[in-house]
Amino acid sequence: MVFAVSDPAALLDDEPVQPWQYDRSRAPVAVKVLVAGGFGVGKTTFVSSVSEITPLRTEAVMTQAAAPTDDLTGTPDKHTTTVAMDFGRITLDDDLVLYVYGTPGQERFWFMWDDLVRGAIGGLVLADTRRLRDCFPALDYFESCGLPYAVAVNHFEGSQAYDVEDVREALTIPPEVPVVIMDARRRATVVESLLTLVGHALDATPE
């Protein structure tokens, strides 16, 4: 299924005014999706780029105590980390609002995923081609709980570009699971990846 919006350009405005915001008889349907992936893969940036409200962040400054468990090899400039979740909202159409929850990436916070996944229609797994192994826990989690998911490769500046099918093969992703290339800093590509996820979720669980 191809998921389309009535006015895609409106998604790129800073604060688009939707009909339901002034016509309360047209209350929108609200759905929830998760954005998961490894440590430092860009989940907080992803949510911040797309949210039409000020995003909720639960970031803490990284200390030396975390050095043995948080590998900064691929992200040497990272100084903060998400300790609970990120939260944002985007209106995809006149009657559909998407609530986007970013999960914490470190293993010691994975216990929160069971609470965050409740009520979600799908999950988006962010992948960094320099550290593909870091996204396997999220892939395994969504597979185990039966949640429809898609994979979004966050292309970092300076990293090698790969074709979608190369990424699919490296991660052994089934052919029915969408894989997209995006940049978490660019709102347009983030919107496209969310549209892909919602369309896939509708195909997988039309009810």
Side-chain angles (χ1 to χ4, degrees), residues 7-18 49-53 89-91 187-188 191:
D7 184 9
L11 294 175
L12 304 182
D13 295 338
D14 290 336
E15 294 184 1
V17 177
Q18 303 298 331
S49 294
V50 79
S51 182
E52 63 194 17
I53 62 172
R89 184 192 74 195
I90 177 174
T91 302
R187 192 169 193 263
V191 169

Side-chain angles (χ1 to χ4, degrees), residues 112-152:
M112 298 181 186
W113 290 19
D114 288 338
D115 289 326
L116 291 175
V117 78
R118 293 176 184 171
I121 66 165
L124 191 67
V125 179
L126 295 196
D128 179 353
T129 55
R130 301 169 301 178
R131 301 173 291 136
L132 279 180
R133 67 182 183 276
D134 291 352
C135 70
F136 279 116
L139 292 172
D140 292 342
Y141 182 81
F142 290 145
E143 285 279 3
S144 65
C145 65
L147 190 72
Y149 68 92
V151 175

